[in-house]
Structures are given as C-alpha cells and as structure tokens.
Amino acid sequence: MKKEFKLYNGVTIPSIGFGTWQIENGESAYNSTLIALKAGYRHIDTAFAYGNEESIGKAIKDSGIDRKEIFITSKVPAEIKTYQGTLDHFYESLRRLDVKYLDLYLIHAPWPWSEVGKDCKKENIEVWKALIYLYENKLVRSIGVSNFSVEDLKNLIEATLVKPMVNQIRYFIGNRQDAITNYCQENDILVEAYSPLATGSLIDNEMLTNMANKYNTTVAKLCIAYCLANNTLPLPKSKTKERIIANLDVNIDIEKEDLDYLNSLGHIGPTRPYRS
Ligand code: NAP
C-alpha cells in the first residue's frame, strides 16, 4: 500500500488519515484518537467546527508519540470569511489542540454551510491571504481548501499566485467529482477523499459486497483502497475500535478491470447535500 503522498511543497502526508467528524469532544474523541494512534495512524483530520480539537489534542499528548510524527489537519470554519477572523480561529485551534503548529490548515468550504453556493470569491481571497501569512510564518507546514470547485480554486490562484496544496472533497465510489479531481491532479493539488465510505451508506451495497468477497476483504477496505487506487487520500472515520484498526490495514490491489468498472459508476449510494 502507498504509505504517503508528497505535496508540491515537498511536505509528506500519511496516505490514510483518521476522520473525526461526528466524534463528540470528551471521552469519545479522546478514546477514538488514542486507539487510532496506537493502531498506527499518524494523520488526524479535524476542524474547528467539529468541536473536538481539545480531546484530540489531549489524546495526541497522552499517546507519547513525538508531535513531529503526527500530521494534524484542522480547518477554518466555512462561516469565517475575513482575514482577522481566520487568524483568530487558527490561534484558537492551536490552543484547543495544545500544539504550536499545524501540518495542514484548510478553508472548510467556499461558502457558509447555511448558504451553499453563495459567491464568496472576494472573501475567500482574504481568508486565503491569512493562510498564506500563517504558512510564510511557519505556523502551518501546508495550506489548502475543502469543497472548492475549479472556479473557486482558480479565483485564489489568480489573485495570490499561491496554489492550494490540497483540496479535500467528498469522494467515494460513485461520487468522484471528476472535473475538480482532474483539475487538481493535473495541477499537483492533492485530492483528499472525505466520506470515503459515503458516511457509511456504501457498507451494505450488494455489488460492493460481492466485489469485496472476491478480494477476500470488506466493503470498507475496498472503498478505502479505491480512493488510493485513484491517487486520492482517504479519511475514513470510525468510533469503533475494531473498525478503526481495520481501516488502516488496507492492502488490496484492485484489478484494472474492476477499477474501470467502479470508475464508470454513477451514484450508487443515497444522494446527500454537502455536509461538514
Ligand atoms: P466515512 O468515513 O465515509 O464513514 C463513517 C461511517 O462508516 C461511520 O458511520 C462509521 O461507523 C462507519 N464505518 C467506518 N468504518 C467502518 C467499517 N470498517 N465497517 C463498517 N462501517 C464502518 O464518514 P465521514 O465521517 O462522512 O467522512 C470521513 C471524514 O472525512 C470525516 O470524519 C471528516 O474528517 C472528513 N470530512 C470532511 C468534510 C469537509 O467538508 N471537509 C465533510 C465530511 C467529512 P462508526 O463510527 O459507528 O464505527
């Protein structure tokens, strides 16, 4: 299995990240993160909006693992669209996580979640300039975006000449967002695949179960391997010890014919609106 990806600025990033959306702050986020770190994850994906940075930070500390060995991502809330607001939220994330720097900081979405699709191009440039400031001052090792369209990406690049290193998008079997993915991969912007299991809704899919049986594996592992086979970085989330451990142990070479078939599929899970 691919162990890491390299961003265009040379920073390496472990090839499977531990997703933490909908893991409540407190015992749940603390235990899940500690289990993940003990299982071997060295990449944790959180966000200010998940409200769990404090427990994740405590688990990182208590794991005894050197901070430098763990790749930590957080995100400026989608609702924050000012330069100063971005810096304020960044410092608050550092405080909650109890770390001195982040490995990756993302703009959570191009629009507030309550106004999906709103044109915030001007405001996103301000937020992006704040991220560039943090990057230049070595408070983050890499910067990027999430849920950005090609147009949203070009807007930032044209205004600042600084290309995001990552675009984290909703990506799973049947939902590949080809236009964005192709643009990112042609421009050396790493695509991170969020909701690689379609927030759990692919797990009972009959066709995927049959294919997983062929590889003597599970649907979850097949979904994670699928992202990797398409050069995207999966961020599976689980609160369940056995699943957390299993999701990191993915060693499946999907045959070209099967990969082509999976890539040819349209939606096979329920359609959902954007989720944070
Ligand atoms: P996901 O990883 O696609 O799926 C998680 C669901 O699948 C949970 O219900 C989990 O159940 C279940 N599951 C996990 N492993 C399993 C296994 N081996 N077998 C059976 N079921 C399994 O969900 P997601 O949380 O939507 O996405 C993952 C991460 O992407 C998030 O946590 C977050 O870090 C990131 N994300 C980012 C954005 C964004 O806007 N940037 C949006 C959504 C997600 P249990 O937890 O009960 O085990």
Side-chain angles (χ1 to χ4, degrees), residues 30 33-34 37-38 42 57-67 70:
Y30 177 81
T33 308
L34 205 52
L37 290 169
K38 283 193 177 145
R42 290 295 179 268
K58 191 166 174 348
I60 288 172
K61 213 135 261 152
D62 291 354
S63 74
I65 299 164
D66 191 343
R67 161 72 186 91
I70 304 174

Side-chain angles (χ1 to χ4, degrees), residues 15 40 118 120 135 175 191:
S15 65
K118 183 182 176 189
C120 297
Y135 180 65
N175 183 79
V191 173

Side-chain angles (χ1 to χ4, degrees), residues 16-239:
I16 296 179
F18 181 59
T20 65
W21 177 43
Q22 293 183 311
I23 307 187
E24 307 76 35
N25 202 40
E27 215 177 309
S28 189
Y30 177 81
N31 288 339
S32 305
T33 308
L34 205 52
I35 290 167
L37 290 169
K38 283 193 177 145
Y41 289 81
R42 290 295 179 268
H43 173 179
I44 313 283
D45 183 81
T46 183
F48 185 95
Y50 300 169
N52 57 17
E53 290 171 310
E54 225 165 298
S55 302
I56 289 174
K58 191 166 174 348
I60 288 172
K61 213 135 261 152
D62 291 354
S63 74
I65 299 164
D66 191 343
R67 161 72 186 91
K68 286 196 221 68
E69 284 181 32
I70 304 174
F71 192 101
I72 307 175
T73 301
S74 192
K75 312 178 188 97
V76 59
E79 293 71 24
I80 301 303
K81 292 291 174 211
T82 61
Y83 186 95
Q84 192 55 47
T86 302
L87 296 185
D88 292 346
H89 280 77
F90 174 80
Y91 293 121
E92 179 59 14
S93 281
L94 282 193
R95 193 195 65 76
R96 291 182 181 184
L97 283 158
D98 197 13
V99 293
K100 294 196 166 53
Y101 67 92
L102 292 183
D103 296 279
L104 176 62
Y105 198 47
L106 304 177
I107 304 177
H108 206 140
W111 14 249
W113 291 108
S114 57
E115 294 173 279
V116 169
K118 183 182 176 189
D119 186 345
C120 297
K121 290 212 178 61
K122 207 163 136 248
E123 294 83 353
N124 283 330
I125 292 169
E126 290 309 300
V127 176
W128 187 236
K129 283 182 179 164
L131 265 61
I132 294 170
Y133 167 85
L134 295 169
Y135 180 65
E136 287 177 349
N137 284 279
K138 301 198 181 336
L139 288 156
V140 286
R141 296 175 65 228
S142 46
I143 50 177
V145 296
S146 179
N147 298 297
F148 268 48
S149 67
V150 173
E151 204 185 328
D152 291 323
L153 286 161
K154 284 184 177 166
N155 171 51
L156 298 188
I157 299 166
E158 278 160 21
T160 63
L161 303 180
V162 180
K163 200 168 60 168
M165 286 138 210
V166 166
N167 190 11
Q168 185 180 118
I169 59 171
R170 194 157 178 262
Y171 186 104
F172 48 83
I173 296 168
N175 183 79
R176 289 181 312 151
Q177 308 209 53
D178 280 340
I180 301 174
T181 304
N182 292 342
Y183 175 83
C184 288
Q185 294 187 338
E186 281 158 16
N187 286 281
D188 207 9
I189 297 169
L190 176 69
V191 173
E192 289 189 345
Y194 79 62
S195 305
L197 317 176
T199 319
S201 66
L202 290 180
I203 295 296
D204 296 325
N205 180 282
E206 201 182 321
M207 180 274 295
L208 293 182
T209 304
N210 290 337
M211 193 180 284
N213 287 341
K214 170 182 162 182
Y215 289 94
N216 205 11
T217 189
T218 62
V219 171
K221 289 185 190 220
L222 182 67
C223 290
I224 294 165
Y226 172 80
C227 297
L228 292 168
N230 281 333
N231 276 316
T232 65
L233 187 157
L235 300 167
K237 167 263 174 185
S238 176
K239 297 202 268 198

